[in-house]
Amino acid sequence: GTAGAPGSVTIAAGVLKFKVQTIDMNDAAVTTTLVPGTPAGTLITGNVLYVDASSGTTENLLLPPEADCNGLYLIIVNTGGETINVQNDAAGAVVTLETANTAYCYCDGTTWRGTVGTP
């Protein structure tokens, strides 16, 4: 891209591509992080997360600490057969992601917000 207004980038040609990361929850809660080891958990390496709870029960997906995520936009796709509770790092509810749905989550540095829609 090319430099745009302060704090932005303009894509002159082509399309914006997000990296896809697959997370298998293995029938357990998963804590995610942007800073390796802080907190301990799964390092997020893409903006599109394909998440499978891998069980017959609802599992919790904890997003990284808000202070590390100012401006972060995540697209979370439930690829499994169970509901996933998407939560902030303090286990507060962000969205409930049912089977075959997609969540769109954004952080402003202090709060995670999200919405759910079908793909």
Side-chain angles (χ1 to χ4, degrees):
T2 58
S8 68
V9 174
T10 302
I11 299 173
V15 297
L16 175 64
K17 294 182 181 180
F18 288 122
K19 181 177 181 212
V20 175
Q21 177 181 1
T22 300
I23 298 175
D24 186 346
M25 297 181 77
N26 291 314
D27 197 20
V30 170
T31 298
T32 60
T33 183
L34 288 178
V35 181
T38 309
T42 300
L43 182 66
I44 290 180
T45 59
N47 290 80
V48 180
L49 306 179
Y50 286 179
V51 183
D52 183 354
S54 300
S55 71
T57 61
T58 299
E59 296 297 344
N60 299 330
L61 178 69
L62 281 78
L63 298 175
E66 291 83 352
D68 297 336
C69 298
N70 190 15
L72 183 62
Y73 178 70
L74 295 175
I75 301 167
I76 306 169
V77 181
N78 184 342
T79 60
E82 306 78 28
T83 298
I84 298 170
N85 292 323
V86 179
Q87 302 175 329
N88 62 27
D89 63 319
V94 177
V95 294
T96 300
L97 185 54
E98 295 177 339
T99 303
N101 278 298
T102 301
Y104 308 94
C105 299
Y106 172 78
C107 183
D108 64 7
T110 60
T111 304
W112 277 104
R113 292 180 174 83
T115 188
V116 176
T118 55

